[in-house]
Amino acid sequence: MDPDTVKSTLTNLAFGNVIAAAARDYKKELLTQEKAAQSSSINEEVDLDELMDDPELEKLHADRIAALKKEVEKREAWKKKGHGEYREVTEGDFLGEVTGSEKVICHFYHKEFYRCKIMDKHLKSLSPKHIDSKFIRLDAENAPFFVTKLAIKTLPCVILFRQGVAVDRLVGFQDLGGKDDFSTNALEALLIKKGIIAEKKDEDDEDNVYDESKRRTVRTSVAADSDSD
């Protein structure tokens, strides 16, 4: 074998050894990265477990559950008093209705007046959204005593009661632009401004209670296993 051939063979062998070494180093690097990733994942899991066992977080969670359950109980009590719907009441029921709830919205109406029907439509739409207030209607023709007592001269007339006391009123559509085409949102904003209804929350409290309770149950189980005039 001539010297040039020998030299070429040795060169090729050396290059092959370099490639093999580089491949081994690359493989080692991949294994190292994989082990580091696994270690990081384990640490994250440990940190999460520690967070879940944090007594302060547990207390916040328990307080949240208690507050939501209290809110649900309050809503149920309101429903028993007739909140959450727009109801017809009689003159005989009127005093009991307005004194039985903290906030009451009563529409004195006439069945033949077009504007009274418009007001009915909007109040009916608002009643289930604002369960903290009671929405009722009373036929003015059948309630002459209270029409006189409350000095009602124009219909529709919506009187706002707080703890049984008439604190404000909407006469006709004067506060709603004086036109028939006002929106339910406009009436809602006016009632909020007058403080007889509260701004509606985005979340459904009852659903939140059930969701929170469900999550807590699962978590505990896991912990154990490991018109006009």
Side-chain angles (χ1 to χ4, degrees), residues 26-77:
Y26 179 68
K27 186 175 181 181
K28 288 180 180 180
E29 184 177 350
L30 288 179
L31 289 172
T32 300
Q33 291 178 356
E34 184 177 350
K35 290 179 179 179
Q38 291 175 348
S39 175
S40 175
S41 177
I42 292 172
N43 288 336
E44 288 177 1
E45 290 177 2
V46 170
D47 292 342
L48 181 59
D49 289 338
E50 291 176 353
L51 181 62
M52 291 179 68
D53 292 334
D54 189 317
E56 291 186 6
L57 185 61
E58 287 286 347
K59 184 178 184 304
L60 288 174
H61 186 80
D63 290 346
R64 175 64 173 164
I65 292 289
L68 291 174
K69 285 184 176 179
K70 184 177 180 180
E71 183 66 21
V72 170
E73 291 172 357
K74 187 188 299 183
R75 290 166 65 92
E76 290 301 319

Side-chain angles (χ1 to χ4, degrees), residues 112-150:
E112 300 296 335
F113 287 4
Y114 177 66
R115 281 194 164 187
C116 289
K117 294 177 182 178
I118 293 174
M119 184 61 74
D120 278 338
K121 178 187 70 172
H122 294 303
L123 292 175
K124 183 177 181 179
S125 177
L126 290 175
S127 58
K129 294 174 59 180
H130 296 279
I131 195 171
D132 57 318
S133 298
K134 181 187 288 183
F135 289 73
I136 56 177
R137 65 198 291 256
L138 179 60
D139 187 338
E141 276 193 314
N142 296 325
F145 176 80
F146 289 110
V147 167
T148 301
K149 191 72 174 176
L150 295 167

Side-chain angles (χ1 to χ4, degrees), residues 3-214:
D4 290 337
T5 300
V6 172
K7 183 177 181 181
S8 176
T9 300
L10 292 174
T11 300
N12 289 337
L13 287 173
F15 181 73
N17 290 335
V18 170
I19 294 298
R24 287 194 299 272
D25 291 342
Y26 179 68
K27 186 175 181 181
K28 288 180 180 180
E29 184 177 350
L30 288 179
L31 289 172
T32 300
Q33 291 178 356
E34 184 177 350
K35 290 179 179 179
Q38 291 175 348
S39 175
S40 175
S41 177
I42 292 172
N43 288 336
E44 288 177 1
E45 290 177 2
V46 170
D47 292 342
L48 181 59
D49 289 338
E50 291 176 353
L51 181 62
M52 291 179 68
D53 292 334
D54 189 317
E56 291 186 6
L57 185 61
E58 287 286 347
K59 184 178 184 304
L60 288 174
H61 186 80
D63 290 346
R64 175 64 173 164
I65 292 289
L68 291 174
K69 285 184 176 179
K70 184 177 180 180
E71 183 66 21
V72 170
E73 291 172 357
K74 187 188 299 183
R75 290 166 65 92
E76 290 301 319
W78 283 331
K79 287 181 179 180
K80 290 179 180 179
K81 293 181 178 181
H83 291 228
E85 58 182 328
Y86 185 46
R87 297 180 298 113
E88 177 92 20
V89 300
T90 66
E91 186 174 48
D93 297 330
F94 178 74
L95 278 180
E97 292 285 356
V98 299
T99 58
S101 296
E102 180 184 356
K103 297 183 292 183
V104 180
I105 299 167
C106 182
H107 174 208
F108 284 81
Y109 76 97
H110 190 291
K111 60 186 177 182
E112 300 296 335
F113 287 4
Y114 177 66
R115 281 194 164 187
C116 289
K117 294 177 182 178
I118 293 174
M119 184 61 74
D120 278 338
K121 178 187 70 172
H122 294 303
L123 292 175
K124 183 177 181 179
S125 177
L126 290 175
S127 58
K129 294 174 59 180
H130 296 279
I131 195 171
D132 57 318
S133 298
K134 181 187 288 183
F135 289 73
I136 56 177
R137 65 198 291 256
L138 179 60
D139 187 338
E141 276 193 314
N142 296 325
F145 176 80
F146 289 110
V147 167
T148 301
K149 191 72 174 176
L150 295 167
I152 296 172
K153 304 294 184 182
T154 300
L155 299 178
C157 182
V158 178
I159 299 187
L160 315 179
F161 294 87
R162 269 190 176 275
Q163 297 179 337
V165 178
V167 294
D168 207 342
R169 66 180 61 196
L170 308 181
V171 179
F173 294 168
Q174 293 176 7
D175 296 324
L176 295 160
K179 297 181 179 180
D180 295 354
D181 60 351
F182 66 90
S183 66
T184 301
N185 288 340
L187 177 59
E188 181 179 37
L190 180 59
L191 294 175
I192 290 173
K193 182 178 179 181
K194 289 180 177 294
I196 202 65
I197 60 175
E199 290 193 61
K200 186 177 181 299
K201 296 178 181 179
D202 292 333
E203 58 183 344
D204 189 310
D205 292 332
E206 293 185 58
D207 286 345
N208 284 337
V209 170
Y210 299 145
D211 290 345
E212 289 278 356
S213 298
K214 183 178 179 181

